[in-house]
Amino acid sequence: MPEHDPQVSTGRGLVQAEGCEPVRVRYRLVIERRPEGPFAHGTLTGRHSGLWPIWLEPDAHLRLKNGRSLAISVTDLVGDVAEFESTGPVPEA
């Protein structure tokens, strides 16, 4: 497998931001290797009413099914589907 192929994982997790209720989500996480280091992005599917306040916050965390946590920022929200990007170190899969 070439080193530049992205790693894709899916699962159920929890997204939370300070001052917001945690939201259970299904996630699709894509980890790409870039010259500056690994970068993660993907989608979250959950309740719009729960994701909306998290979208308004600049910093959030996604807890993955393996228990690891990823610092993220929700960049878009349409209905029950949000897009996100990593804002901190990306754990190795």
Side-chain angles (χ1 to χ4, degrees):
M1 177 172 174
E3 199 174 295
H4 62 277
D5 283 351
Q7 292 178 277
V8 178
S9 63
T10 59
R12 294 183 184 271
L14 191 70
V15 65
Q16 49 196 21
E18 189 170 330
C20 302
E21 290 290 321
V23 179
R24 292 182 191 277
V25 293
R26 287 188 321 255
Y27 63 84
R28 180 178 187 272
L29 174 64
V30 179
I31 299 176
E32 299 176 5
R33 295 203 180 277
R34 296 185 175 176
E36 63 274 12
F39 176 75
H41 60 94
T43 57
L44 306 170
T45 304
R47 288 185 346 271
H48 179 83
S49 61
L51 290 170
W52 175 261
I54 293 172
W55 179 50
L56 298 175
E57 291 295 318
D59 299 314
H61 282 87
L62 171 62
R63 192 172 70 212
L64 305 174
K65 64 184 176 184
N66 63 9
R68 292 186 178 183
S69 183
L70 180 66
I72 64 167
S73 180
V74 175
T75 58
D76 196 14
L77 176 62
V78 177
D80 290 341
V81 179
E83 294 180 5
F84 70 90
E85 294 181 352
S86 61
T87 59
V90 175
E92 291 298 323

